[in-house]
Amino acid sequence: YLFALMNFPMFGTVCDCFTVTDALVFRDKKLTLAELIDAVDANFEGHARTLAMCRKVPKYGSDDAFSNAHVNRLADGMASISRKYAEKYLESDGFLIVPCIQSDTWHLKYGMKYGATPDGRLAGTPFSQNTRPANGSCTNGLTAMFNSMLHIPADGFLSGALNLDIDPGQFEGESGHELFSAMLAVYFNRGGMHAQVTAALLEDLLDAQVNPPLHRDLRVRITGYSGIFVDITKPLQDDIIERTVHS
């Protein structure tokens, strides 16, 4: 078959926007839709209370049931629309269109161009990357993040990359390696799609920005490939540092 990918970029941010809007406006009725829109349009300037409320809502990655339901609904809906749209091209031309959850590094470029969003993200800042939850959303640990991601129905998606950043000290030694292997095994056995791991200390990443020659061997996962940290762009370095802080 000839085939093409139909991407769902910035998946985590989109899920969080639906979750926050539904929770604050329709479920809990703490804000009107007009109040939320006004705060977002103002980049939350003068709306500190609203920003705090938006950021407090449990999001994709926290394994909250309300958020997980939105994750499942949005992913399943996107896959269903893609399959329906693709049918006529498959039947007439043998052209297969397959959905995936992928953004590569476009989450940085799009983030720079777009305004604030209801999840509490400020204008000009990165969106979420690939299937990974937005930075700061995984408030209940690695297992909770995996549980949230398992609400993405894997059937029908070609790919869904996950950049997984860990502190090597958390899983050092034979027992640590076994624990990490067991966590990944459970995730994949329950339907997880992908994981690419970076094991780097935050202090090494920060020092590499100041003293690049001392860290020529510091390799990190970008999205589907690895790169030498000191050779990548400053915005991408900052994003990797930020996701490490919140891992």
Side-chain angles (χ1 to χ4, degrees):
Y1 292 108
L2 298 173
F3 76 94
L5 301 179
M6 182 175 289
N7 284 350
F8 191 154
M10 285 63 77
F11 175 76
T13 299
V14 174
C15 291
D16 291 344
C17 288
F18 273 87
T19 299
V20 169
T21 302
D22 193 9
L24 295 181
V25 176
F26 299 102
R27 184 190 66 179
D28 301 335
K29 303 187 187 309
K30 292 183 177 180
L31 294 170
T32 66
L33 187 58
E35 288 172 334
L36 180 58
I37 291 173
D38 286 345
V40 172
D41 285 345
N43 195 28
F44 294 100
E45 293 182 8
H47 298 270
R49 177 175 172 273
T50 299
L51 176 60
M53 291 168 62
C54 291
R55 289 182 170 173
K56 187 176 180 180
V57 174
K59 299 178 175 66
Y60 170 49
S62 64
D63 197 23
D64 173 75
F66 189 74
S67 173
N68 288 343
H70 277 289
V71 169
N72 182 267
R73 181 176 66 89
L74 288 168
D76 186 62
M78 181 267 185
S80 298
I81 291 170
S82 297
R83 287 192 293 268
K84 183 177 181 180
Y85 178 81
E87 284 177 358
K88 60 181 179 180
Y89 295 101
L90 182 61
E91 293 173 357
S92 62
D93 305 313
F95 187 74
L96 184 63
I97 301 175
V98 185
C100 71
I101 301 177
Q102 201 81 9
S103 58
D104 294 328
T105 57
W106 286 96
H107 68 296
L108 299 176
K109 297 177 182 179
Y110 289 154
M112 293 176 185
K113 295 180 179 181
Y114 281 82
T117 43
D119 58 332
R121 176 193 148 273
L122 299 180
T125 60
F127 289 108
S128 62
Q129 185 185 30
N130 302 323
T131 57
R132 180 186 170 96
N135 291 340
S137 296
C138 299
T139 54
N140 294 319
L142 184 58
T143 301
M145 185 189 76
F146 283 154
N147 288 339
S148 290
M149 297 187 69
L150 289 172
H151 286 80
I152 301 173
D155 291 346
F157 283 102
L158 183 64
S159 68
L162 166 64
N163 282 319
L164 182 60
D165 303 277
I166 64 169
D167 181 341
Q170 290 182 311
F171 300 103
E172 63 183 351
E174 184 175 350
S175 61
H177 294 168
E178 291 178 355
L179 174 61
F180 186 58
S181 297
M183 293 176 69
L184 288 178
V186 171
Y187 172 62
F188 287 123
N189 288 336
R190 292 180 60 194
M193 288 189 285
H194 181 273
Q196 50 192 26
V197 181
T198 295
L201 294 172
L202 176 61
E203 49 264 39
D204 288 342
L205 297 173
L206 293 171
D207 189 62
Q209 288 189 311
V210 180
N211 302 296
L214 301 180
H215 297 275
R216 292 295 310 170
D217 58 347
L218 181 56
R219 187 178 295 271
V220 295
R221 297 295 291 185
I222 309 299
T223 176
Y225 62 94
S226 296
I228 301 298
F229 182 78
V230 298
D231 289 341
I232 62 179
T233 64
K234 177 65 161 51
L236 187 52
Q237 287 181 349
D238 291 341
D239 187 59
I240 291 171
I241 289 172
E242 185 70 13
R243 79 189 196 203
T244 301
V245 169
H246 293 293
S247 291

